[in-house]
Amino acid sequence: MWTVRYREPGGRWGRQRERSFPRRIGLDGADAFAAGVEDDKNARVCADPARGAVPLRVWAQDWLERRVVAESTRRNYEGFIRNYLVPRLGDRPLDGVTRWDVEKFAKDLHGGGAGLAASTVNDRMVLVAAVLEAAVVDKRILDNPARGVRVSRRDAPAVDEDEIPAPDEVDLIAEHIAPQYRLTVYLQSGTGQRPSEALAFAAGCRRPGFVRVRWQVSAKAHRADCRAAFVPLKNHVEGEYRDVPAAPFIEQEIDAHLLRWKPVPVVFTGRKGKRRRLEVFFAPRQCGKGVMPTASTYAYHFKKACVSAGLVNVNGSAKYTPRSLRHFFASTALANGVPIHEVSRWLGHRSIKVTVDTYGHLVPRAWHRCREILQNAMRPALRGSSESRPAASSLRSLAEGSPGQV
């Protein structure tokens, strides 16, 4: 180990520090660090130790108070700082937060008790980096330990077959759910839409033989002050859409829904500021119920329907979730020979890899084709023979290396 001892700016009164390195030469060695310290002193790049002693929780709160952001964004930031950043790093002084601390914090958010999605963690790490970058600009710390910290996206987990309902169970859920959401069950199971996409189903989505999925309901649509009740699809920008074939029973369920409820016009502002109008199927018809039901509202009714239908786990909780209907659509299509790249496009996945990782093991016909192809390649049946494969005794003789076999 090589140790570099140096003083902070201030001459003989500067605080003495030291840092150890596993090697002396190289870009990450002791010599390079020592040269960098001297260069920083000569360039007067320094931080006041007293100013760097401010706790991170105090600095983060002060940083947030000086930001000009929307009220909803401010609440979002406050919640993350209060619930995640402060409990783990809040008591550390600014100059005491290391790269290792930040990387472990991000890892714990993703894979630890918090269990946040990789995209969510990476979004929040941009916030942490902004907080600490402000401290660099204010000359409280020399470097930003959160700059560039990210977590890798994990491969999509393969769906458990126990999470996929049978066709009769789909019908049971549709029978027991609140009547206004019956069509949503079949839009999910019959066209693979996400809950928020099915809830955004409008008159313009219905096309001859297929449905056009263009919008999804915003998670904030239940609030009266929400200006954008509908937002672009996941992995898409405003104006993009996907078309999904619709079986005749979907057409019948749409007709049955329209006999009881007529579409309701909802006006909203798109991401580009343009005013838009949709004739939506699931807008609430009672005062005081908000502008639009959200995926959370639908999930509540869905779980309630599962319990009512007796589709429960050992502990009495709902056996399925709304996502299970999307799994039903994908697994049914793939098991019956529909090409996986088509299913991927209809599901709206960002890449076919997500579809393969999630549903690739649910394609039994691929196993049969593989066995058949390899059998024909290695032991092709004789022309005109009724036998499609060698007799078991012949295979046994080959395995045992019987005389006379080449």
Side-chain angles (χ1 to χ4, degrees), residues 81-94:
I81 292 172
R82 179 179 63 253
N83 298 325
Y84 298 103
L85 186 61
V86 169
R88 290 170 171 81
L89 299 175
D91 291 334
R92 299 284 184 88
L94 288 174

Side-chain angles (χ1 to χ4, degrees), residues 148-178:
V149 173
R150 298 288 185 275
V151 295
S152 301
R153 291 177 179 270
R154 292 182 292 191
D155 292 338
V159 64
D160 188 342
E161 294 183 51
D162 292 338
E163 298 177 4
I164 305 174
D168 59 329
E169 292 179 318
V170 173
D171 286 331
L172 267 177
I173 296 171
E175 290 173 9
H176 286 82
I177 202 168

Side-chain angles (χ1 to χ4, degrees), residues 40 44-48 51-52 56 59 63 66 94-95 97 128-147:
D40 288 345
R44 298 184 181 276
V45 178
C46 59
D48 185 348
R51 290 164 63 80
L56 178 58
W59 176 253
W63 175 88
R66 290 182 280 118
L94 288 174
D95 60 2
V97 178
V128 176
V131 171
L132 292 173
E133 189 64 31
V136 174
V137 173
D138 204 38
K139 290 185 169 43
R140 293 178 180 271
I141 54 177
L142 291 174
D143 194 21
N144 183 351
R147 187 180 297 140

